[in-house]
Amino acid sequence: MRDIVIIGGGPGGYVAAIRGAQLGARVCLIEMDRVGGTCLNWGCIPTKALYKHAEILRTLDKSNTYGIHVEAYAMDVQQVQERKQTIVDKLVGGVQQLLKSNHVEVIKGKGIMKDAHHVIVEKEDGTIEEIEGKHLIIATGSLPDTLPLEGIDEEGVWNTNDILAFEEVPEKLAIIGGGVVGMEFASIFNGFGSDVSVLEYLPQILNQVDSAISKRFKSMAKKSGIAITTQAEVKKIVKTTDGLDIHYRCKGKEHILSADKVLVAAGRRANLAGLELDGLGIAYTKKGIQVNENYETSVKGIYAIGDVNGKSMLAHVASHQGVHVVEHIMGMAHKEEKVVPSCIFVFPEIAYAGITEDEAKEQDIPVRVGKFMFSANGKAMTLGKDEGFVKLIAHEETHDVLGMHILGPHASDLIHEGVLAIQNGLKIEDMIETIHAHPTLAEAIHEAALDVLDLGIHSLPKKK
């Protein structure tokens, strides 16, 4: 009998497997496709590979500003796809080696739970194997969601998996959905040279982001050539001789948007298919499997981590939950997580952690806010990436750091200073008293901290 049996080898499942093995557990990992899951094979990694190509093209477009004159250049889509796949394959191979080195038993096949201690594995060759375990962890991840739209199945209508396999850059790309995924692909294909249009149902794009950042980024995206329409209710998609027409309603009027390809970026949904949850009595909703504070389901001994429980569809959250569960199973105490960083790979990057200024107002939390523009940061200017700002939120009385929000270069790398501060209950004074190297982008964080207390050195005094 195995100590832990895990269904799904994504960033939740494989991390849980390795951590369990480190603690001396006998672990079996069941994966029907490739280890690494959506993140490594069809999500985070391949999209960031494409993001880099788009970034290079954007730099080449502005090469004259650096005194570098490039006569001509073109993008080889096949080579782009090959590089993307090489990166994915190398990382998948690395995960496979880690599992092997940690003596994790890996079985390729579809895992179906029989009861709280048995999983039936349907293998590729048609054979069936029954695996017994003391504890089961469901880590089946998520799938691209869809919309109940007429024409959603027309040729040329992509989901987020389809678009990664593009064979040529569409001249006109329409994206339904202005959330994280929609805006990331909008930025990438805008960089590739597509005429990109985004239709968003809500009043603003990136609805979960601090409103000041969302509004500023929307303006920057439009300036770069991305057309954005909010409060757009898509009615149907119609195939035409020239491509696809999206029929939508906005502010009481009917409109048609024509495109060569349409990306439906409707988010993701928990992958509950084939788990036999009803038969086992495992409680779930449309959002995902219901779990308690230790990610245990309504059936004792069965846990659910990552996207499948619907709490947060982020790879690093899945990994964290996986570690939490196996440490709980092995009798270790685990600190409650307080803050989760989120990163959006657009141009420029967006990253945030903690509460927004709007949330503070809604919760009647008195706060002080500090901001610093990258346009006044020396390193950002030398990089030619001086758009955006750092925004810090602290409690008005205690000066505890409550939130950090960044729109600007390398935001995804800079956010962790804020995560560390919020997670450990640090105060704005702690950030101010920390020496930040010069010239670095991180100095913008230091200046934002100073601004919280009206002590900014490299910004104009606030008007009283």
Side-chain angles (χ1 to χ4, degrees), residues 144-163:
D145 209 348
T146 187
L147 295 172
L149 282 178
E150 179 185 338
I152 196 76
D153 296 321
E154 290 284 3
E155 183 182 354
V157 179
W158 288 337
N159 64 24
T160 51
N161 286 356
D162 299 327
I163 195 170

Side-chain angles (χ1 to χ4, degrees), residues 133-189:
K134 296 177 183 177
H135 306 275
L136 304 184
I137 300 176
I138 304 169
T140 51
S142 61
L143 300 168
D145 209 348
T146 187
L147 295 172
L149 282 178
E150 179 185 338
I152 196 76
D153 296 321
E154 290 284 3
E155 183 182 354
V157 179
W158 288 337
N159 64 24
T160 51
N161 286 356
D162 299 327
I163 195 170
L164 287 171
F166 75 100
E167 295 179 351
E168 61 181 24
V169 176
E171 183 178 340
K172 292 183 179 180
L173 173 66
I175 299 176
I176 301 174
V180 173
V181 174
M183 294 315 303
E184 285 192 346
F185 277 114
S187 295
I188 289 168
F189 278 83

Side-chain angles (χ1 to χ4, degrees), residues 116-134:
H117 298 288
H118 297 86
V119 177
I120 305 299
V121 183
E122 298 177 352
K123 298 184 179 179
E124 283 185 322
D125 60 6
T127 61
I128 294 176
E129 182 177 357
E130 184 170 313
I131 305 297
E132 185 178 14
K134 296 177 183 177

Side-chain angles (χ1 to χ4, degrees), residues 246-288:
I246 302 176
H247 294 248
Y248 69 97
R249 185 176 180 83
C250 182
K251 298 179 180 179
K253 295 182 179 181
E254 303 295 330
H255 303 269
I256 297 176
L257 173 64
S258 298
D260 301 311
K261 302 290 183 182
V262 174
L263 169 64
V264 179
R268 301 185 67 83
R269 56 185 170 83
N271 182 12
L272 307 176
L275 292 176
E276 304 296 338
L277 300 178
D278 292 321
L280 291 170
I282 295 176
Y284 66 95
T285 65
K286 289 182 179 180
K287 188 177 180 181

Side-chain angles (χ1 to χ4, degrees), residues 340-359:
V340 174
S342 295
C343 305
I344 306 174
F345 292 85
V346 288
F347 297 106
E349 291 181 1
I350 296 171
Y352 56 96
I355 67 171
T356 66
E357 189 175 1
D358 293 332
E359 288 170 340

Side-chain angles (χ1 to χ4, degrees), residues 178-403:
V180 173
V181 174
M183 294 315 303
E184 285 192 346
F185 277 114
S187 295
I188 289 168
F189 278 83
N190 171 252
F192 287 170
S194 291
D195 180 0
V196 179
S197 299
V198 177
L199 300 176
E200 168 56 46
Y201 179 76
L202 296 174
Q204 70 177 35
I205 59 170
L206 301 175
N207 191 54
Q208 71 277 49
V209 173
D210 180 90
S211 59
I213 286 181
S214 176
K215 290 174 184 176
R216 178 64 183 137
F217 172 73
K218 181 180 179 181
S219 174
M220 295 164 71
K222 285 185 172 182
K223 187 178 177 181
S224 71
I226 300 173
I228 299 173
T229 304
T230 54
Q231 296 180 290
E233 183 183 2
V234 176
K235 297 293 188 179
K236 61 182 178 179
I237 303 172
V238 178
K239 184 76 173 177
T240 68
T241 55
D242 297 323
L244 297 158
D245 281 352
I246 302 176
H247 294 248
Y248 69 97
R249 185 176 180 83
C250 182
K251 298 179 180 179
K253 295 182 179 181
E254 303 295 330
H255 303 269
I256 297 176
L257 173 64
S258 298
D260 301 311
K261 302 290 183 182
V262 174
L263 169 64
V264 179
R268 301 185 67 83
R269 56 185 170 83
N271 182 12
L272 307 176
L275 292 176
E276 304 296 338
L277 300 178
D278 292 321
L280 291 170
I282 295 176
Y284 66 95
T285 65
K286 289 182 179 180
K287 188 177 180 181
I289 297 174
Q290 295 181 323
V291 294
N292 65 14
E293 68 276 7
N294 288 313
Y295 307 104
E296 190 171 24
T297 70
S298 56
V299 175
K300 187 174 177 59
I302 300 181
Y303 300 82
I305 61 173
D307 290 6
V308 76
N309 67 31
K311 284 185 171 292
S312 175
M313 292 194 176
L314 295 170
H316 45 285
V317 171
S319 297
H320 182 84
Q321 291 178 2
V323 171
H324 181 123
V325 168
V326 295
E327 289 184 349
H328 170 74
I329 288 171
M330 301 303 287
M332 295 177 63
H334 202 283
K335 291 182 179 180
E336 180 185 356
E337 57 266 28
K338 299 177 182 178
V339 58
V340 174
S342 295
C343 305
I344 306 174
F345 292 85
V346 288
F347 297 106
E349 291 181 1
I350 296 171
Y352 56 96
I355 67 171
T356 66
E357 189 175 1
D358 293 332
E359 288 170 340
K361 290 177 181 177
E362 291 169 4
Q363 298 171 34
D364 292 322
I365 300 173
V367 295
R368 299 176 66 99
V369 177
K371 185 186 288 187
F372 190 76
M373 310 300 292
F374 279 108
S375 58
N377 176 267
K379 180 64 177 292
M381 292 177 70
T382 63
L383 292 174
K385 298 179 179 180
D386 58 354
E387 294 182 305
F389 56 89
V390 175
K391 182 176 182 179
L392 274 169
I393 299 170
H395 195 283
E396 186 175 48
E397 298 169 0
T398 66
H399 294 183
D400 288 342
V401 182
L402 302 178

